[in-house]
Amino acid sequence: LYITSSGTSETSVVINITAPSDSPRDFTVSAITTYSLTYQWLPPNMANGPIIHYNLTVDFNNGSESVNIQIEPTGGLVQYILDGLFTYQLITANISASTLEGEGPQAFLIQYTAEDIPGPVVNLSLNILSASEIEVSWSPALEPNGIIQYYLVTVRLY
C-alpha cells in the first residue's frame, strides 16, 4: 500500500514457491575420524523459496541399514557430524533441500571412516619342519579396521 498526497495505491507481489531446482552445493566431508564423519554443504543456487530443512539420508553396511535426518538451515554453510560409526565403515550419504512445496534433487557422497590398528590375527599356528625351518600360518584378523598392507613376522632366537 502506497500513500501519497495524491491518494493511495496498492501493489502486490506474487511469490511462486516450488521445490528446489538444484541440490545443495559443495557437499563434502570436512573431517574424517575412525568413528565419525563431518559433512558440510551450502544452500542450492535455485532454492525457489525459503529452505525449511535439509534431508540427510545415510546408508550403512552396503544399504542394509538406512537413517533419515532432518537438519535445520543456518543460512549459509551447514555442518553435520555423523558419529557412533565403526572403524573403516563405508557410508553413503545423500543431501537434499526442502521448501514448503517439496524436496529438491539430491547430492551424493561415498566415504569410509578412517582406518585404525587391526585386530589380532586368528588361528596362529607354528609347525616345526626341521632344526632350521619353521612354518608359520594364520588367518586374517576378524576386525581388520582397514586395508591390511602387510604382515610382520618376528622370530626370536633364544
Side-chain angles (χ1 to χ4, degrees), residues 7-113:
T8 61
S9 172
E10 282 191 38
T11 302
S12 62
V13 175
V14 176
I15 299 175
N16 221 1
I17 297 176
T18 61
S21 301
D22 294 335
S23 62
R25 295 176 291 135
D26 301 328
F27 184 40
T28 59
V29 176
S30 62
I32 302 168
T33 72
T34 52
Y35 303 109
S36 69
L37 297 173
T38 301
Y39 293 102
Q40 67 180 30
W41 63 89
L42 291 166
N45 282 329
M46 299 290 291
N48 300 332
I51 301 297
I52 58 169
H53 62 260
Y54 292 97
N55 300 304
L56 180 64
T57 303
V58 181
D59 291 325
F60 307 91
N61 305 324
N62 295 320
S64 65
E65 293 179 54
S66 184
V67 80
N68 296 308
I69 305 158
Q70 283 192 351
I71 301 161
E72 298 300 315
T74 60
L77 181 69
V78 182
Q79 287 191 328
Y80 183 80
I81 299 172
L82 181 66
D83 56 10
L85 305 175
F86 297 103
T87 301
Y88 203 64
Q89 184 177 13
L90 179 63
I91 307 293
T92 303
N94 299 295
I95 189 74
S96 64
S98 291
T99 65
L100 289 172
E101 293 300 315
E103 184 177 356
Q106 297 179 334
F108 175 77
L109 267 178
I110 298 175
Q111 181 67 53
Y112 280 94
T113 55

Side-chain angles (χ1 to χ4, degrees), residues 101-157:
E101 293 300 315
E103 184 177 356
Q106 297 179 334
F108 175 77
L109 267 178
I110 298 175
Q111 181 67 53
Y112 280 94
T113 55
E115 293 183 281
D116 203 358
I117 297 169
V121 296
V122 293
N123 303 322
L124 180 63
S125 69
L126 180 66
N127 187 15
I128 299 173
L129 302 175
S130 70
S132 61
E133 284 183 280
I134 60 170
E135 177 184 69
V136 180
S137 63
W138 63 88
S139 297
L142 297 175
E143 294 181 12
N145 295 332
I147 298 171
I148 302 295
Q149 302 291 324
Y150 60 89
Y151 293 94
L152 178 63
V153 177
T154 303
V155 178
R156 290 186 193 157
L157 300 175

